[in-house]
Coordinates of all heavy atoms in Angstrom, one line a residue:
R10 N 0.8 -1.2 0.0 CA 0.0 0.0 0.0 C 0.8 1.2 0.0 O 0.5 2.2 -0.6 CB -1.0 0.0 1.2 CG -2.0 1.1 1.1 CD -3.1 1.0 2.0 NE -2.7 1.1 3.4 CZ -2.5 0.2 4.3 NH1 -2.7 -1.1 3.9 NH2 -2.2 0.4 5.5
A11 N 2.0 1.2 0.7 CA 2.9 2.3 0.6 C 3.4 2.7 -0.9 O 3.4 3.8 -1.2 CB 4.1 2.0 1.6
K12 N 3.7 1.6 -1.5 CA 4.2 1.8 -2.9 C 3.0 2.4 -3.8 O 3.2 3.3 -4.6 CB 4.6 0.5 -3.5 CG 5.0 0.6 -5.0 CD 5.6 -0.8 -5.5 CE 5.9 -0.8 -7.0 NZ 4.7 -0.6 -7.8
F13 N 1.8 1.9 -3.6 CA 0.6 2.3 -4.3 C 0.3 3.8 -3.9 O -0.1 4.6 -4.8 CB -0.6 1.4 -3.9 CG -1.8 1.5 -4.8 CD1 -1.8 0.9 -6.0 CD2 -2.9 2.3 -4.4 CE1 -3.0 1.0 -6.8 CE2 -4.0 2.5 -5.2 CZ -4.1 1.9 -6.4
L14 N 0.5 4.1 -2.7 CA 0.3 5.5 -2.2 C 1.3 6.4 -2.9 O 0.9 7.6 -3.3 CB 0.4 5.5 -0.7 CG 0.3 7.0 -0.1 CD1 -1.0 7.6 -0.4 CD2 0.5 6.9 1.4
L15 N 2.5 6.1 -2.9 CA 3.6 6.9 -3.5 C 3.2 7.1 -5.0 O 3.4 8.3 -5.5 CB 5.0 6.2 -3.4 CG 5.6 6.2 -2.0 CD1 6.8 5.4 -1.9 CD2 5.9 7.7 -1.5
E16 N 2.8 6.1 -5.7 CA 2.4 6.2 -7.0 C 1.2 7.2 -7.3 O 1.2 8.0 -8.2 CB 2.1 4.9 -7.7 CG 3.3 4.0 -7.8 CD 3.0 2.5 -8.0 OE1 1.7 2.2 -7.9 OE2 3.9 1.7 -8.4
S17 N 0.3 7.0 -6.3 CA -0.9 7.9 -6.4 C -0.5 9.4 -6.1 O -1.1 10.3 -6.8 CB -1.9 7.5 -5.3 OG -2.3 6.1 -5.6
V18 N 0.3 9.7 -5.1 CA 0.8 11.1 -4.9 C 1.6 11.6 -6.1 O 1.4 12.8 -6.4 CB 1.6 11.1 -3.5 CG1 2.2 12.5 -3.3 CG2 0.7 10.7 -2.4
T19 N 2.4 10.8 -6.6 CA 3.2 11.3 -7.8 C 2.3 11.6 -9.0 O 2.4 12.6 -9.6 CB 4.2 10.1 -8.2 OG1 5.1 9.8 -7.1 CG2 4.9 10.6 -9.4
D20 N 1.3 10.8 -9.1 CA 0.3 11.1 -10.3 C -0.5 12.3 -10.0 O -0.7 13.1 -10.8 CB -0.6 9.9 -10.4 CG -1.7 10.0 -11.5 OD1 -1.3 9.9 -12.7 OD2 -2.8 10.3 -11.2
L21 N -0.9 12.5 -8.7 CA -1.6 13.7 -8.4 C -0.8 15.0 -8.6 O -1.3 15.9 -9.1 CB -2.1 13.6 -6.9 CG -2.9 14.9 -6.4 CD1 -4.1 15.1 -7.3 CD2 -3.3 14.7 -5.0
R22 N 0.5 14.9 -8.2 CA 1.3 16.1 -8.5 C 1.4 16.4 -10.0 O 1.3 17.6 -10.4 CB 2.7 15.9 -7.9 CG 3.8 16.9 -8.3 CD 5.0 16.8 -7.6 NE 5.1 17.5 -6.3 CZ 6.1 17.7 -5.5 NH1 7.2 17.1 -5.8 NH2 6.0 18.4 -4.4
S23 N 1.5 15.4 -10.8 CA 1.6 15.6 -12.2 C 0.3 16.2 -12.8 O 0.3 17.1 -13.6 CB 1.9 14.3 -12.9 OG 3.1 13.8 -12.6
T24 N -0.8 15.6 -12.3 CA -2.2 16.1 -12.8 C -2.3 17.7 -12.3 O -2.8 18.5 -13.1 CB -3.2 15.3 -12.1 OG1 -3.0 14.0 -12.5 CG2 -4.7 15.8 -12.6
L25 N -1.9 18.0 -11.1 CA -2.1 19.4 -10.7 C -1.1 20.3 -11.5 O -1.6 21.4 -11.8 CB -1.7 19.5 -9.2 CG -2.8 18.9 -8.2 CD1 -2.2 18.9 -6.8 CD2 -4.1 19.8 -8.2
Q26 N 0.0 19.8 -11.9 CA 0.8 20.6 -12.7 C 0.2 20.9 -14.1 O 0.3 22.0 -14.6 CB 2.2 19.9 -12.9 CG 3.1 19.9 -11.7 CD 4.3 19.0 -11.8 OE1 4.4 18.2 -12.7 NE2 5.2 19.1 -10.9
I27 N -0.5 19.9 -14.6 CA -1.2 20.1 -15.9 C -2.3 21.1 -15.7 O -2.6 21.9 -16.7 CB -1.8 18.7 -16.3 CG1 -0.7 17.7 -16.7 CG2 -2.8 18.9 -17.4 CD1 -1.2 16.3 -16.9
H28 N -2.8 21.2 -14.6 CA -4.0 22.2 -14.3 C -3.4 23.5 -13.6 O -4.2 24.2 -13.0 CB -5.0 21.6 -13.4 CG -5.7 20.5 -14.1 ND1 -6.7 20.7 -15.1 CD2 -5.7 19.1 -14.0 CE1 -7.1 19.6 -15.6 NE2 -6.5 18.6 -14.9
G29 N -2.2 23.8 -13.8 CA -1.6 25.1 -13.4 C -1.3 25.2 -12.0 O -1.1 26.4 -11.5
S30 N -1.2 24.1 -11.3 CA -0.9 24.1 -9.9 C 0.3 23.2 -9.5 O 1.1 22.9 -10.4 CB -2.2 23.8 -9.1 OG -1.9 23.9 -7.7
N31 N 0.4 22.8 -8.3 CA 1.4 21.8 -7.9 C 0.9 21.1 -6.6 O 0.0 21.7 -5.9 CB 2.8 22.4 -7.8 CG 3.8 21.4 -8.1 OD1 3.8 20.2 -7.7 ND2 4.8 21.8 -8.9
L32 N 1.6 20.2 -6.1 CA 1.4 19.6 -4.9 C 2.5 19.8 -3.8 O 3.6 19.5 -4.2 CB 1.1 18.1 -5.0 CG 0.7 17.3 -3.8 CD1 -0.7 17.8 -3.2 CD2 0.5 15.8 -4.0
I33 N 2.2 20.5 -2.8 CA 3.2 20.7 -1.8 C 3.3 19.4 -0.9 O 2.3 18.9 -0.5 CB 2.9 21.9 -0.8 CG1 2.6 23.1 -1.7 CG2 3.9 22.1 0.2 CD1 3.8 23.5 -2.5
I34 N 4.5 19.0 -0.7 CA 4.7 17.7 0.0 C 5.5 18.0 1.3 O 6.5 18.7 1.3 CB 5.6 16.7 -0.8 CG1 4.9 16.4 -2.2 CG2 5.8 15.4 -0.1 CD1 3.6 15.5 -2.1
R35 N 5.0 17.4 2.4 CA 5.7 17.5 3.7 C 5.7 16.1 4.3 O 4.8 15.4 4.2 CB 5.1 18.5 4.5 CG 5.2 20.0 4.1 CD 6.5 20.4 4.1 NE 6.7 21.8 3.7 CZ 7.0 22.2 2.5 NH1 7.1 21.4 1.5 NH2 7.0 23.6 2.2
Q36 N 6.8 15.7 5.0 CA 6.9 14.6 5.7 C 6.8 14.9 7.3 O 7.8 14.9 8.0 CB 8.2 13.7 5.5 CG 8.2 13.2 4.1 CD 9.5 12.3 3.9 OE1 10.3 12.6 3.2 NE2 9.4 11.1 4.4
C37 N 5.6 15.2 7.7 CA 5.3 15.5 9.1 C 3.8 15.4 9.3 O 3.1 15.2 8.3 CB 5.9 16.9 9.5 SG 5.1 18.2 8.4
Q38 N 3.4 15.6 10.5 CA 2.0 15.6 10.8 C 1.4 16.9 10.1 O 2.0 17.9 10.1 CB 1.7 15.6 12.3 CG 2.2 14.3 12.9 CD 2.0 14.3 14.4 OE1 1.9 15.3 15.1 NE2 1.9 13.1 15.0
P39 N 0.1 16.8 9.8 CA -0.6 17.9 9.1 C -0.6 19.2 9.9 O -0.3 20.3 9.3 CB -2.0 17.4 8.8 CG -1.9 15.9 8.7 CD -0.8 15.6 9.7
L40 N -0.7 19.1 11.2 CA -0.7 20.4 12.0 C 0.6 21.1 11.9 O 0.6 22.3 11.7 CB -1.0 20.0 13.5 CG -1.0 21.3 14.4 CD1 -2.0 22.3 14.0 CD2 -1.2 20.8 15.9
E41 N 1.7 20.3 12.0 CA 3.0 21.0 11.9 C 3.2 21.6 10.5 O 3.7 22.8 10.3 CB 4.1 19.9 12.0 CG 5.5 20.4 11.9 CD 6.6 19.4 12.1 OE1 6.3 18.3 12.6 OE2 7.7 19.7 11.7
A42 N 2.8 21.0 9.4 CA 2.9 21.5 8.0 C 2.1 22.8 7.9 O 2.6 23.8 7.4 CB 2.5 20.4 7.1
V43 N 0.8 22.7 8.3 CA -0.1 23.9 8.3 C 0.5 25.1 9.0 O 0.4 26.2 8.6 CB -1.5 23.4 8.7 CG1 -2.4 24.7 8.8 CG2 -2.1 22.5 7.7
T44 N 0.9 24.8 10.2 CA 1.5 25.9 11.1 C 2.6 26.6 10.5 O 2.6 27.8 10.4 CB 1.9 25.3 12.4 OG1 0.8 24.6 13.1 CG2 2.5 26.4 13.4
K45 N 3.5 25.8 9.9 CA 4.7 26.5 9.3 C 4.3 27.2 8.0 O 4.8 28.2 7.6 CB 5.8 25.4 9.0 CG 6.4 24.9 10.2 CD 7.5 23.8 9.9 CE 8.2 23.3 11.1 NZ 9.2 22.2 10.9
L46 N 3.5 26.6 7.2 CA 3.0 27.2 6.0 C 2.3 28.5 6.2 O 2.5 29.5 5.5 CB 2.3 26.3 5.0 CG 3.0 25.2 4.4 CD1 2.1 24.1 3.9 CD2 3.9 25.6 3.3
T47 N 1.5 28.5 7.2 CA 0.7 29.7 7.6 C 1.6 30.9 7.9 O 1.4 32.0 7.5 CB -0.3 29.4 8.7 OG1 -1.2 28.3 8.3 CG2 -1.1 30.6 9.1
E48 N 2.6 30.5 8.8 CA 3.6 31.5 9.2 C 4.3 32.1 8.0 O 4.6 33.3 7.9 CB 4.5 31.0 10.2 CG 5.5 31.9 10.9 CD 4.7 32.9 11.8 OE1 3.6 32.6 12.3 OE2 5.1 34.1 11.8
L49 N 4.7 31.1 7.1 CA 5.5 31.5 5.9 C 4.8 32.5 5.0 O 5.3 33.5 4.4 CB 5.9 30.3 5.2 CG 6.9 30.4 4.0 CD1 8.3 30.9 4.5 CD2 7.0 29.1 3.3
L50 N 3.4 32.3 4.8 CA 2.6 33.0 4.0 C 2.1 34.4 4.5 O 1.6 35.1 3.7 CB 1.5 32.1 3.5 CG 1.8 31.0 2.5 CD1 0.6 30.0 2.5 CD2 2.2 31.5 1.2
K51 N 2.2 34.6 5.8 CA 1.6 35.9 6.4 C 2.0 37.1 5.6 O 1.2 38.0 5.4 CB 2.0 35.9 7.8 CG 1.1 35.2 8.8 CD 1.5 35.4 10.2 CE 0.7 34.8 11.2 NZ 1.1 34.9 12.6
P52 N 3.3 37.3 5.3 CA 3.7 38.6 4.7 C 3.2 38.8 3.3 O 3.2 39.9 2.8 CB 5.2 38.5 4.7 CG 5.6 37.4 5.7 CD 4.5 36.4 5.5
V53 N 2.9 37.7 2.6 CA 2.6 37.8 1.1 C 1.2 37.5 0.7 O 0.6 38.3 -0.1 CB 3.6 37.0 0.3 CG1 5.0 37.5 0.3 CG2 3.6 35.5 0.8
A54 N 0.7 36.5 1.2 CA -0.7 36.1 0.8 C -1.3 35.2 2.0 O -1.2 34.0 2.0 CB -0.7 35.3 -0.5
P55 N -1.7 35.9 3.0 CA -2.1 35.1 4.3 C -3.2 34.1 4.0 O -4.0 34.2 3.2 CB -2.7 36.3 5.2 CG -3.0 37.4 4.3 CD -2.0 37.3 3.1
V56 N -3.0 33.0 4.8 CA -3.9 31.9 4.8 C -5.2 32.3 5.5 O -5.2 32.7 6.7 CB -3.4 30.6 5.5 CG1 -4.4 29.6 5.5 CG2 -2.2 30.2 4.7

């Protein structure tokens, strides 16, 4: 399932790129990722 998941995430990133976006990847718990991204975006485009 880990291999299948990696393939799925890779495919999603490619699809989002086709649609003008991308997929941000983090190896941590969601709260940690959201906290850091929110802080990073405050000066330019706040969450």
Side-chain angles (χ1 to χ4, degrees):
R10 191 168 65 259
K12 177 176 179 291
F13 193 82
L14 173 62
L15 288 170
E16 293 165 349
S17 300
V18 172
T19 300
D20 181 76
L21 178 59
R22 172 173 270 185
S23 297
T24 300
L25 285 169
Q26 289 170 346
I27 291 170
H28 292 286
S30 182
N31 211 317
L32 182 63
I33 307 301
I34 301 291
R35 294 292 184 265
Q36 287 188 258
C37 61
Q38 294 177 338
L40 177 61
E41 179 183 343
V43 167
T44 301
K45 290 180 178 179
L46 288 167
T47 301
E48 188 64 29
L49 187 66
L50 289 166
K51 271 184 183 179
V53 288
V56 174

